[in-house]
Every structure is written in structure tokens, then in C-alpha cells.
Amino acid sequence: MGYLDGAARLLTTLVEGQEAAFDAAAEAIRRTISEDGLVYLFGTGHSHMLAEEGHFRAGGLACVVPVLSSAVMLHESAVASTALERVGGVADVVLSRYPIASRDVLVVFSTSGVNAAPVEAAKHGRAAGATVVAVTSKAYSRQAAAGRETLADVAPIVLDNRAPPGDASVTIAGAVRAGPLSTIAGAALLNALLVEASTRLAAEGVDPPVYVSANMPGAAARNAALMSRYRNRNPHL
């Protein structure tokens, strides 16, 4: 149970020591929702799964828009996507179909934090005037940077997912390690932020745009209204 024990310890301490960054990110999302903006999620490689995690999710927010491009995802060619996420200029091309603006939030996920695409995505979001939140591993970035600019260097709000360098948490034999933690930590941080922002809105008397599972009473009408509100701004609905 070494992996599960490590994952449990990570989750229970994930926000400790970075409460201010978490608060700033949650408040940015609350403000974006109150201003009828969008929360964009960007990641390449396995990190793209965190963009999908927030999309059209029961208990998730309808204002979330995933940034999805097959070129930097894994399902068509993992080898090609691994190469492309390191190429300068790719992020701007991918993001060109998403009209990110000043009232929006862009959350960029990258555990290593050193590849060109997530670093340039953060810069793209800042240039558009959006609030940029990075979810990355500071320890991994420090080890992998080798003088390169990192995602944590360019994002104004940084949340550390605390994955170890190499994103493998359990020693199997010798130097061989397995058990990535970044997806668990990233999904936990994302959903914690969305819940906190929704809670703050509810406290103000605002009904947060939360999807209800299609199998629950009243879901059809609520979800239809939310999709009508956001469909023309989310190309993946």
C-alpha cells in the first residue's frame, strides 16, 4: 500500500504552506464567474487529462473550457506529442481558437514546468489580460530547468502539486521508481478551487453554474440551461 499511503499523505497536506496562492486562485475564479467569464484549462501530455477533468463534469462548473488539441495529447501519438510540447510557438497555435480575455482565468498544468508549450501558454494568457494560475511541481522544475525559464517563473499565481522530480513516488528496486502523483494532486487542486469559488458565490446569493449528474432529479432542465448559456463559448460542448 505504499503508493496509496503516499497519495493520502500528499492530499491531506496539499494546500499547507500555500494557502495564500490557493486563496488568490479561488478568488480569481470567483471573480471570473461573477463577471460571466470562463475558466480555461491547459495541459499537454498527461496533463491534458486535467483539462478534461474539469469539462462537462457532474458536480463541475459549466464555465470551464478545456483547451484540447490532438497534437499535444497522447491518444494519436504519444511520441509526437512529447516532441511537440517542447517546440516553441505550438501553444499560441493551439490557443488561437480560444478567445481568452481579461475577465477569464487560464489554469496551466505542467508537472515538470519546463516544456515550451505550458510556459508559452502562461505567457499567452498574461498577454490576453487573463489571470494565469500554474499547477506544477516546484521540486521537479528546479531539478529539470537547467537554466531554462519555468512555468513557475512566468505565472503570477503558482500552486505546487508537490510531485517528486520524475513524478514517481515509490522505489521499486534500486533506482527504479513508479507511481505518479501529479494527476491525483492536480485533480484535487482543480476541484478544490472550483468548489471554493462556488462556495464563495453561494455565500453572496449567487447560484454557481454547477452541472448536476444526468442521473439525478432535475438534472435535465438545469444542465440544459447551463449548456444554452455556455455552448457558444465552449467549442467542446
Side-chain angles (χ1 to χ4, degrees), residues 195-212:
V195 168
E196 178 62 25
S198 298
T199 300
R200 295 181 185 188
L201 287 168
E204 298 171 0
V206 177
D207 181 23
V210 178
Y211 283 123
V212 177

Side-chain angles (χ1 to χ4, degrees), residues 3-215:
Y3 177 75
L4 292 178
D5 290 342
R9 285 193 299 272
L10 175 68
L11 291 177
T12 56
T13 61
L14 194 52
V15 179
E16 288 183 7
Q18 52 182 351
E19 292 89 351
F22 183 88
D23 177 73
E27 181 58 23
I29 293 171
R30 183 210 62 78
R31 184 174 61 251
T32 284
I33 298 170
S34 69
E35 295 176 359
D36 198 31
L38 299 172
V39 179
Y40 291 92
L41 307 179
F42 179 95
T44 62
H46 279 92
S47 291
H48 96 266
M49 293 189 293
L50 296 169
E52 293 198 70
E53 166 68 18
H55 175 50
F56 198 57
R57 185 67 191 262
L61 297 185
C63 60
V64 169
V65 178
V67 175
L68 302 176
S69 171
S70 295
V72 289
M73 295 160 69
L74 297 170
H75 61 289
E76 293 188 355
S77 174
V79 173
S81 68
T82 299
L84 284 171
E85 69 182 352
R86 290 163 166 76
V87 175
V90 168
D92 285 334
V93 174
V94 170
L95 288 166
S96 64
R97 70 182 294 203
Y98 301 91
I100 299 171
S102 58
R103 64 178 175 172
D104 301 323
V105 169
L106 172 64
V107 185
V108 181
F109 297 91
S110 174
T111 298
S112 71
V114 297
N115 292 325
V119 172
E120 292 179 1
K123 292 180 178 180
H124 182 105
R126 293 190 69 175
T131 300
V132 176
V133 178
V135 179
T136 188
S137 167
K138 292 181 179 179
Y140 197 161
S141 290
R142 284 193 297 268
Q143 182 167 309
R148 288 176 289 178
E149 192 172 43
T150 71
L151 177 58
D153 293 330
V154 300
I157 302 173
V158 179
L159 286 168
D160 191 350
N161 67 19
R162 294 182 172 151
D167 196 18
S169 60
V170 180
T171 299
I172 303 300
V176 176
R177 296 176 64 85
L181 291 171
S182 60
T183 304
I184 291 173
L189 284 169
L190 171 62
N191 286 302
L193 288 170
L194 297 179
V195 168
E196 178 62 25
S198 298
T199 300
R200 295 181 185 188
L201 287 168
E204 298 171 0
V206 177
D207 181 23
V210 178
Y211 283 123
V212 177
S213 170
N215 297 308

